[in-house]
Amino acid sequence: EAQVTQNPRYLITVTGKKLTVTCSQNMNHEYMSWYRQDPGLGLRQIYYSMNVEVTDKGDVPEGYKVSRKEKRNFPLILESPSPNQTSLYFCASSPRDGQSDTQYFGPGTRLTVL
Amino acid sequence: GDSVTQMEGPVTLSEEAFLTINCTYTATGYPSLFWYVQYPGEGLQLLLKATKADDKGSNKGFEATYRKETTSFHLEKGSVQVSDSAVYFCALGGSQGNLIFGKGTKLSVKP
């Protein structure tokens, strides 16, 4: 089944404890992206990747890192999480680009930072 | 910069009512326009899209027409069902190669 998977689905952590949220797609898509969803703000892009080893900042990149060493994986890294990073996170992928292709979303990761 | 404005919710309708969710955009050029839907507890999925002016996207009884002259992409459905209860997001393909979302409109349909 074609899909985007994220792990974990739920995570409660404490301030400053490094964490990684994994994202994997099995559709051989070139474009991958991370978003955060907050009440009243909609979805905002954190980072995106046009292909392996090519990543760029979105609208709200502060406090996050990403890497794209393989085409299928695009992990989101929080080196030192803070409470303002408590949010619902979505990974997405699309065949070629982010502005004209359909994006396929993962199920989301709900992160709470205490 | 590029932006999307959609009507605020929540919107509550009775089953079989007509639905309109307004969406307007600001962008340079002619971006692709999308409606995504998020059912409770799930990720977003594409509902429909249009890639050029006057295109009509349609899916599952929903329709939206790309109106360049009014910079709008309003979502409509003639007869909503309880199963349509979800959050609907309007989005445009930004000039930076990304998707720019509106804030979302929550729809509740009562039997």
Side-chain angles (χ1 to χ4, degrees):
Chain A
E1 178 190 356
Q3 60 183 348
V4 178
T5 56
Q6 296 178 226
N7 282 291
R9 294 288 313 277
Y10 302 90
L11 179 60
I12 301 174
T13 189
V14 296
T15 299
K17 186 176 181 181
K18 180 179 178 180
L19 66 91
T20 299
V21 183
T22 65
C23 173
S24 183
Q25 51 94 4
N26 61 2
M27 296 170 279
N28 201 37
H29 285 172
E30 294 187 359
Y31 182 95
M32 297 186 75
S33 180
W34 277 102
Y35 298 89
R36 60 178 289 174
Q37 183 180 16
D38 301 290
L41 296 177
L43 278 85
R44 295 176 293 168
Q45 190 179 50
I46 303 170
Y47 268 95
Y48 65 96
S49 170
M50 298 293 288
N51 214 324
V52 175
E53 303 291 1
V54 180
T55 63
D56 211 343
K57 297 177 181 178
D59 298 318
V60 288
E62 293 77 21
Y64 304 95
K65 286 175 56 178
V66 293
S67 68
R68 187 93 181 271
K69 293 183 169 51
E70 305 166 284
K71 199 171 189 178
R72 63 185 294 128
N73 296 323
F74 191 45
L76 179 69
I77 303 155
L78 284 72
E79 295 270 3
S80 182
S82 62
N84 65 11
Q85 293 178 298
T86 292
S87 188
L88 179 59
Y89 292 86
F90 289 101
C91 180
S93 71
S94 59
R96 293 180 312 276
D97 63 53
Q99 76 265 45
S100 59
D101 279 346
T102 299
Q103 290 200 27
Y104 296 83
F105 284 78
T109 295
R110 186 166 292 282
L111 172 66
T112 301
V113 182
L114 302 175
Chain B
D2 299 341
S3 66
V4 174
T5 303
Q6 64 180 101
M7 65 185 285
E8 302 214 0
V11 174
T12 302
L13 296 173
S14 297
E15 212 166 19
E16 299 184 4
F18 185 87
L19 168 72
T20 300
I21 300 177
N22 290 337
C23 172
T24 57
Y25 67 90
T26 301
T28 53
Y30 305 100
S32 295
L33 300 174
F34 305 81
W35 278 100
Y36 281 83
V37 59
Q38 184 180 29
Y39 297 104
E42 299 183 11
L44 281 73
Q45 56 185 274
L46 180 73
L47 181 59
L48 54 84
K49 73 177 189 181
T51 58
K52 60 183 187 297
D54 300 324
D55 264 3
K56 178 186 284 189
S58 61
N59 186 24
K60 299 181 181 180
F62 291 89
E63 293 183 340
T65 301
Y66 191 140
R67 301 283 188 201
K68 174 173 163 292
E69 62 277 9
T70 55
T71 60
S72 65
F73 193 54
H74 303 322
L75 182 68
E76 296 182 336
K77 186 175 186 182
S79 177
V80 294
Q81 305 301 311
V82 173
S83 57
D84 294 326
S85 297
V87 181
Y88 292 82
F89 292 92
C90 185
L92 70 81
S95 56
Q96 303 300 314
N98 57 342
L99 265 186
I100 297 169
F101 286 89
K103 295 183 178 181
T105 302
K106 183 175 182 179
L107 170 67
S108 296
V109 181
K110 306 298 185 187

